[in-house]
Amino acid sequence: STTATIGCAQQSLTLPTSWGGTINLKLLFTSTNVTNTNTQKWTVSTKCSTPTGGAGATDDPATFNTAQTLTYTNGASEVVASLRTVAQTGVTVTGCTAGDLLHLRIGRDISDSATDTLEVVGVEVTL
């Protein structure tokens, strides 16, 4: 979904039955149009649903947990097209248990730097 200040993408994955209750995330991105020393803000939020199977089963979990903000500030001499990373340890996963379907939403808050051209090139999720 997209609004004037936030664009986001969503991906789902099944939490392993051995999952211990914590998730860390690392976002890898590049930029082709970034002003040195400006800030990029990303958001991450989750929600889970329990697979029920059978005819008529739905995946209709509650609303997403409150988004957490990941902030990256460019260095003064940073190369424009370089690969950047920003991380969040302890992603909020309220309502999630082992075996659930985890819905992960990553967003871009463009309110600080609306002219940046950023591209996500990878997401590392550590369970």
Side-chain angles (χ1 to χ4, degrees), residues 5-123:
T5 58
I6 296 179
C8 60
Q10 183 176 318
Q11 182 66 41
S12 301
L13 59 108
T14 303
L15 294 170
T17 56
S18 61
W19 178 58
T22 60
I23 294 178
N24 298 327
L25 180 132
K26 184 189 297 183
L27 183 65
L28 294 85
F29 64 99
T30 62
S31 175
T32 57
N33 178 23
V34 66
T35 304
N36 284 338
T37 70
N38 69 350
T39 300
Q40 294 94 43
K41 290 183 181 176
W42 300 89
T43 60
V44 59
S45 57
T46 63
K47 64 180 176 179
C48 283
S49 59
T50 303
T52 57
T58 61
D59 176 26
D60 190 17
T63 59
F64 277 87
N65 288 310
T66 301
Q68 293 168 271
T69 301
L70 294 73
T71 302
Y72 182 91
T73 303
N74 291 326
S77 60
E78 199 157 353
V79 177
V80 169
S82 65
L83 182 64
R84 297 158 169 82
T85 63
V86 63
Q88 176 67 47
T89 57
V91 172
T92 302
V93 288
T94 303
C96 297
T97 59
D100 279 357
L101 184 62
L102 170 71
H103 304 277
L104 180 65
R105 180 187 290 171
I106 298 171
R108 167 75 169 115
D109 183 342
I110 61 172
S111 60
D112 281 351
S113 303
T115 59
D116 288 350
T117 305
L118 301 177
E119 180 178 337
V120 174
V121 295
V123 177

